[in-house]
Amino acid sequence: MEFETTKDVLKNPITFAEKATGKNSTLPVLSSIILTTKKQSLTIQATNLDIGVEFTIPVKVIKEGSIAVPGVLLSSVIGNIQTSKKITCSTKQGIFNIITNGDTITLNTTPQEDFPMIPVVQEGDMFTTQSKKFISGLKSVVYAASLSDIKPEFSGVYVYPQQQNLVFVATDTYRLAEKKIPEKSASSFPGIIIPHKNITEILRIFEGVDDDIAVVSNKNQISFSTETIHISSRAINTPFPNYQEIFPKTYTTEATILKQDLIDILKITNNFSDKSGRVTFTINPKIKQCFIAAQNQTTGEQVSTVDAVLSGEDASHDYNYRYILECLQYVPHDSIICKVSSDGKLVITGLGDPSFTYLVAPLMKQG
């Protein structure tokens, strides 16, 4: 094979593909990136069997062919080449050659016979959505997914249709995030759980892509495709729990707060909370006061008053401040509503906007 291109065209697809290669795999070829030239395009493929990626980019093809190159090595070389001008890549007797105006680099290749096909979900449920909307939905909730695979249903993002919306949900049982985006085309989509560790790569690859994404899924697999990008991910087929039952039916206390005020206070809290991130959130509508307090035997104590519009009964509960701070960047409004139930569950939404809902469970009181 032989082709000509530039670093700007090659760098991002190679970098993204390397992230999807298999590390410490019993199948050595999974640590490689497959390069295939055909007609006037280069196809770049990689997989770790949990997620597979494929990019098709335009290049000047001089000779068609296919080769497997160690992913980490190739990504490092392409990323550090200094030229932005023409790069010529070719293979000869199992060696991959990279020639620029200042470099001549040869890389050993690996046998590619055992490289698995990147799955294409051809028979399944499908819808098409805007890339930016879909990525926004995933980003708004993925941080709330569990990092443990002990309960698989909590280790990913559940995506399902509801009326004319596409709903994204994630929970680690200590907090829960839900984001709704308008999407009429997904009404027949049955819902699926995408593993959080694969979502990291999906977000990285589709960030900044303006094209529509075709989403196709069956029980075990889900794929995301544009004209030049294809990603296939394993799906979690353990049923997602009926999370709506977790939300309180009624609330006893409510506070409307400027989002940035709360962010600034919680950033200070980082210096005074304990290992569990404990802060005490107190709302006293009767005396019109709302404050956040944290105490650390090593560093000291913080008590911060929060300007807020208050209603309901007095309430005081402990929460992990990190859980609250982490969600605030995804509330698309300057003001937030904090509602507290009688058992201390804290629910955060944007003022007048039901598209994002976030629930935090209280910590057990100390002593």
Side-chain angles (χ1 to χ4, degrees):
M1 68 178 294
E2 185 175 356
F3 64 92
E4 293 178 355
T5 185
T6 64
K7 176 181 177 178
D8 290 343
V9 172
L10 205 54
K11 181 181 177 181
N12 281 349
I14 293 293
T15 300
F16 294 147
E18 186 274 323
K19 298 295 184 182
T21 57
K23 310 295 191 297
N24 303 317
S25 173
T26 55
L27 194 60
V29 73
L30 294 183
S31 65
S32 297
I33 293 174
I34 305 296
L35 305 177
T36 304
T37 50
K38 189 175 182 180
K39 296 183 178 179
Q40 292 302 310
S41 65
L42 171 68
T43 300
I44 301 167
Q45 297 174 304
T47 184
N48 57 18
L49 299 183
D50 203 55
I51 186 172
V53 300
E54 179 178 302
F55 302 89
T56 302
I57 59 175
V59 298
K60 180 180 178 181
V61 175
I62 300 170
K63 184 179 180 181
E64 294 185 353
S66 184
I67 198 73
V69 186
V72 173
L73 180 60
L74 180 61
S75 178
S76 176
V77 169
I78 297 300
N80 288 291
I81 286 177
Q82 296 302 310
T83 184
S84 60
K85 297 181 179 179
K86 183 178 72 173
I87 298 174
T88 301
C89 300
S90 63
T91 57
K92 186 175 182 181
Q93 297 179 344
I95 299 297
F96 186 64
N97 303 291
I98 302 173
I99 300 174
T100 72
N101 59 346
D103 301 288
T104 298
I105 300 167
T106 62
L107 305 180
N108 293 330
T109 61
T110 56
Q112 60 176 307
E113 290 76 16
D114 294 330
F115 189 84
M117 294 289 292
I118 305 297
V120 177
V121 184
Q122 295 179 332
E123 295 184 3
D125 299 282
M126 175 182 175
F127 69 91
T128 301
T129 185
Q130 294 177 8
S131 173
K132 289 184 177 179
K133 288 201 305 183
F134 195 82
I135 294 306
S136 172
L138 290 176
K139 288 176 68 175
S140 296
V141 305
V142 66
Y143 55 89
S146 173
L147 299 180
S148 169
D149 294 328
I150 294 176
K151 292 186 176 181
E153 64 272 29
F154 297 135
S155 65
V157 172
Y158 179 44
V159 185
Y160 73 98
Q162 183 185 72
Q163 298 175 350
Q164 295 186 342
N165 293 315
L166 193 62
V167 185
F168 301 77
V169 187
T171 180
D172 58 7
T173 73
Y174 301 106
R175 34 92 178 262
L176 183 148
E178 178 193 70
K179 176 67 176 179
K180 298 178 181 179
I181 63 170
E183 187 51 70
K184 298 178 181 178
S185 68
S187 58
S188 61
F189 188 68
I192 198 165
I193 305 175
I194 310 169
H196 73 86
K197 58 185 177 181
N198 293 350
I199 290 175
T200 301
E201 300 310 317
I202 294 169
L203 292 176
R204 184 183 287 116
I205 290 170
F206 283 118
E207 190 79 59
V209 173
D210 292 327
D211 298 341
D212 286 351
I213 300 176
V215 182
V216 187
S217 74
N218 56 31
K219 184 179 179 180
N220 300 310
Q221 206 80 18
I222 184 168
S223 68
F224 310 88
S225 303
T226 68
E227 290 187 0
T228 59
I229 301 171
H230 176 78
I231 302 176
S232 180
S233 168
R234 174 182 63 85
I236 297 171
N237 54 26
T238 306
F240 199 79
N242 183 8
Y243 71 93
Q244 296 290 353
E245 296 180 350
I246 300 173
F247 287 102
K249 299 295 187 293
T250 59
Y251 300 91
T252 60
T253 311
E254 182 174 307
T256 302
I257 304 170
L258 285 175
K259 180 176 66 174
Q260 191 59 50
D261 287 352
L262 186 56
I263 289 173
D264 292 342
I265 290 172
L266 292 177
K267 285 182 177 180
I268 296 174
T269 301
N270 176 59
N271 300 293
F272 301 102
S273 64
D274 59 16
K275 291 181 179 179
S276 67
R278 183 182 299 271
V279 297
T280 301
F281 193 1
T282 301
I283 302 173
N284 293 138
K286 293 179 182 178
I287 59 175
K288 299 181 180 180
Q289 284 189 348
C290 177
F291 58 89
I292 291 173
Q295 187 174 23
N296 187 296
Q297 292 182 351
T298 302
T299 58
E301 184 177 359
Q302 170 204 11
V303 178
S304 298
T305 301
V306 186
D307 291 331
V309 178
L310 311 176
S311 63
E313 303 174 5
D314 291 353
S316 183
H317 300 279
D318 292 353
Y319 303 97
N320 184 328
Y321 86 91
R322 299 183 189 92
Y323 289 169
I324 299 173
L325 183 60
E326 199 164 17
C327 85
L328 294 178
Q329 63 181 303
Y330 301 107
V331 180
H333 289 275
D334 293 335
S335 296
I336 61 171
I337 298 176
C338 298
K339 295 186 290 186
V340 184
S341 64
S342 59
D343 60 355
K345 290 180 179 176
L346 172 65
V347 174
I348 299 172
T349 59
L351 180 62
D353 180 10
S355 69
F356 179 77
T357 305
Y358 189 76
L359 182 150
V360 184
L363 299 175
M364 293 183 63
K365 286 286 186 180
Q366 292 178 318

